[in-house]
Amino acid sequence: MIEKLISFSLRNRVFVLLISAILFGWGVYSVQTNKVDAIPDLSENQVIVFTEWMGRSPQIIEDQVTYPLVTNLQGLPNVKYVRGSSMFGMSFIYIIFEDDTDIYWARSRVLERLNSVGDLLPPGATPTLGPDGTGVGHILWYTLDAPGMDLGEQRAVQDWYVKFALQNVEGVSEVASFGGFQKQYQVTVDPNKLTYYNITIPQVIQAVRANNNEAGGRKFERSDIGYIIKTTGYLKSSEEIEDIAITTNNTIPVRVSDVATVQMTGESRLGIFDLNGEGEAVGGIVVMRYGENAEEVIGNVKEKMAEVSKGLPEGVKFNIVYDRSGLINESISSVKKTLIEEMIVASVVVFLFLFHWRSALVIIIQLPLSVAIGFILLNAFDISSNIMSLTGIALSVGVIVDDAIVMVENSYRHLAEATKAKEWIEEEVNS
């Protein structure tokens, strides 16, 4: 079969060159469109369900949230297994699907099942799906370089301006904020005053909740002019919270300020984020969506950062602390360097030993064509260009070079022997 293939190729050189050109062009296109990342994504095909029910112990979370969700999510199609984890105030469910299952099909099936199990959970516990990213989706970390601005203001800029802008970038699944203080109004009640006024904590909570609301009205016309009546009751300062009336005692209102103190403070933190030992910092983690091109997403995020930075407060700028694009570019440049070096070394070796430039040209053509066909197969099997796949290509280049040198030298030797035999036969015939 090999002999027939070689004979066919020798008799149809134009056809072979045409097929090679088509494969090379297809390979160049595959190189340009292939997804690029630093490391391969070997994480499991999973969907995360997160439920927050603050103030409850892990055992209560396990019995009333985690267990009902785990038992009802086990019957989904293509599910390998379901894992649950309970902690103080939070529940995590990990649904692991078969490797060939589409991740967004799996998320839809999980969401459908969650809609039917809502009645089994206690009031206030609402399960939500986690981001459609993976454990290796953290492609970029950044902090806000804001000298003179307190951590609360930095976190407010991050949560209410930067985060929303970066989440609109194509390919970004989530922007997770870290560091600083999340501002909140804190009402600290005095138990002795509650007893004195005969008021319970639920009454205080209900009063604050009822007054932090906006009620709709109606429209009426007067003198051919339409008026819309509504009430605006959203609280805007600690003083407005203090003036809320909880109840009345002998026609005298008992306000929040009579039984509690109100102040603006930060939410309780379980840790801090320190940058290079220089103090606390505020920033975010950009999480890439499942199956996206990491290099392209990082480039889009950086472009968006340049646009967002124009709207930041004076003196505030981005400080990128982790960028995977550097590792990606180094991986690609390493393969390019290896390919060029192998082509030069192989061509020089063949030329020095054979003194035949056409033999060296065969190897020079064979190497990039083989790499191009490799990228065609990477795209066909949806494999990204990462450290593992590119290293495999770099290693295979050495094997291709060895094979090319042996085959070219062997062909050259056989041709030389055939030429000498032909010359000897011609001399014998002539003599």
Side-chain angles (χ1 to χ4, degrees):
M1 183 182 69
I2 297 177
E3 182 180 356
K4 292 181 179 179
L5 180 62
I6 295 175
S7 301
F8 175 81
S9 301
L10 291 175
R11 290 194 302 267
N12 301 274
R13 297 180 182 181
V14 176
F15 178 75
V16 173
L17 291 176
L18 180 61
I19 294 298
S20 301
I22 293 175
L23 288 176
F24 184 74
W26 188 4
V28 172
Y29 174 77
S30 299
V31 170
Q32 296 175 349
T33 58
N34 186 249
K35 298 176 183 177
V36 183
D37 203 346
I39 52 180
D41 189 358
L42 302 178
S43 58
E44 294 178 308
N45 198 0
Q46 69 175 4
V47 177
I48 302 176
V49 178
F50 168 69
T51 308
E52 188 176 23
W53 197 27
M54 298 308 296
R56 275 72 177 183
S57 65
Q59 187 61 47
I60 297 297
I61 294 292
E62 176 71 23
D63 295 339
Q64 300 191 29
V65 178
T66 304
Y67 180 77
L69 288 177
V70 169
T71 54
N72 282 274
L73 291 172
Q74 284 180 338
L76 292 174
N78 298 338
V79 170
K80 294 169 62 177
Y81 44 84
V82 181
R83 296 196 296 257
S85 175
S86 302
M87 58 185 66
F88 187 81
M90 290 178 287
S91 169
F92 292 91
I93 311 295
Y94 303 91
I95 304 100
I96 312 301
F97 287 83
E98 299 289 345
D99 294 336
D100 58 348
T101 304
D102 181 72
I103 185 64
Y104 295 104
W105 180 90
R107 290 173 65 87
S108 299
R109 300 289 81 76
V110 172
L111 190 59
E112 289 177 359
R113 185 61 61 87
L114 290 179
N115 292 333
S116 63
V117 301
D119 296 337
L120 302 177
L121 301 180
T126 304
T128 57
L129 291 183
D132 53 344
T134 63
V136 295
H138 296 190
I139 57 175
L140 189 140
W141 290 40
Y142 66 89
T143 61
L144 296 179
D145 186 4
M149 181 180 293
D150 65 83
L151 296 174
E153 292 292 337
Q154 293 184 38
R155 184 58 184 263
V157 172
Q158 162 63 24
D159 287 342
W160 301 104
Y161 176 61
V162 178
K163 178 179 179 179
F164 293 152
L166 297 183
Q167 279 184 338
N168 290 327
V169 176
E170 182 68 25
V172 173
S173 172
E174 182 188 26
V175 178
S177 302
F178 58 78
F181 295 91
Q182 291 181 272
K183 291 183 178 181
Q184 63 176 199
Y185 290 107
Q186 191 176 86
V187 180
T188 307
V189 297
D190 188 337
N192 296 324
K193 293 182 178 179
L194 289 178
T195 304
Y196 176 80
Y197 288 106
N198 194 23
I199 296 175
T200 62
I201 291 181
Q203 285 181 277
V204 179
I205 296 175
Q206 179 60 28
V208 175
R209 181 177 296 147
N211 283 271
N212 186 33
N213 197 1
E214 181 171 311
R218 60 179 294 244
K219 176 183 177 181
F220 74 96
E221 295 184 2
R222 182 178 180 183
S223 301
D224 295 333
I225 298 176
Y227 296 89
I228 298 177
I229 307 298
K230 69 181 183 68
T231 59
T232 302
Y234 286 117
L235 301 173
K236 300 179 181 179
S237 64
S238 58
E239 290 78 11
E240 293 182 358
I241 300 177
E242 291 176 346
D243 290 337
I244 294 176
I246 303 173
T247 184
T248 57
N249 190 357
N250 296 327
T251 69
I252 299 176
V254 179
R255 296 179 171 85
V256 172
S257 59
D258 295 328
V259 297
T261 58
V262 182
Q263 59 181 348
M264 179 179 287
T265 182
E267 188 177 352
S268 299
R269 303 191 298 172
L270 301 178
I272 63 173
F273 182 84
D274 181 87
L275 181 62
N276 298 329
E278 300 175 356
E280 293 189 52
V282 176
I285 304 172
V286 180
V287 182
M288 180 182 65
R289 187 173 289 115
Y290 179 86
E292 292 289 339
N293 189 332
E295 184 183 36
E296 182 179 348
V297 175
I298 293 174
N300 295 336
V301 169
K302 289 182 178 179
E303 292 180 4
K304 193 66 176 181
M305 280 183 170
E307 179 182 340
V308 170
S309 60
K310 299 177 182 179
L312 292 174
E314 185 176 358
V316 180
K317 59 183 180 180
F318 288 106
N319 177 30
I320 298 178
V321 296
Y322 169 73
D323 183 3
R324 196 188 293 176
S325 61
L327 184 58
I328 294 174
N329 294 331
E330 289 179 4
S331 302
I332 297 175
S333 63
S334 176
V335 174
K336 291 181 179 178
K337 181 180 177 181
T338 302
L339 180 60
I340 294 174
E341 289 176 352
E342 293 281 0
M343 290 172 59
I344 295 175
V345 171
S347 303
V348 170
V349 168
V350 173
F351 186 75
L352 288 179
F353 279 87
L354 302 179
F355 286 101
H356 194 256
W357 67 271
R358 294 177 64 183
S359 300
L361 182 63
V362 170
I363 297 177
I364 295 177
I365 295 175
Q366 181 180 358
L367 283 176
L369 181 60
S370 302
V371 174
I373 295 175
F375 275 94
I376 294 175
L377 296 177
L378 288 180
N379 272 3
F381 291 100
D382 196 23
I383 301 174
S384 65
S385 299
N386 51 66
I387 291 177
M388 298 298 293
S389 60
L390 295 180
T391 301
I393 292 178
L395 294 176
S396 65
V397 166
V399 178
I400 295 171
V401 168
D402 295 339
D403 172 71
I405 292 176
V406 172
M407 295 302 295
V408 168
E409 191 275 336
N410 190 41
S411 300
Y412 185 82
R413 181 174 59 84
H414 281 286
L415 289 174
E417 292 177 353
T419 302
K420 290 182 180 179
K422 181 179 179 181
E423 293 176 354
W424 181 80
I425 293 173
E426 291 177 352
E427 290 178 358
E428 289 293 330
V429 172
N430 293 331
S431 62

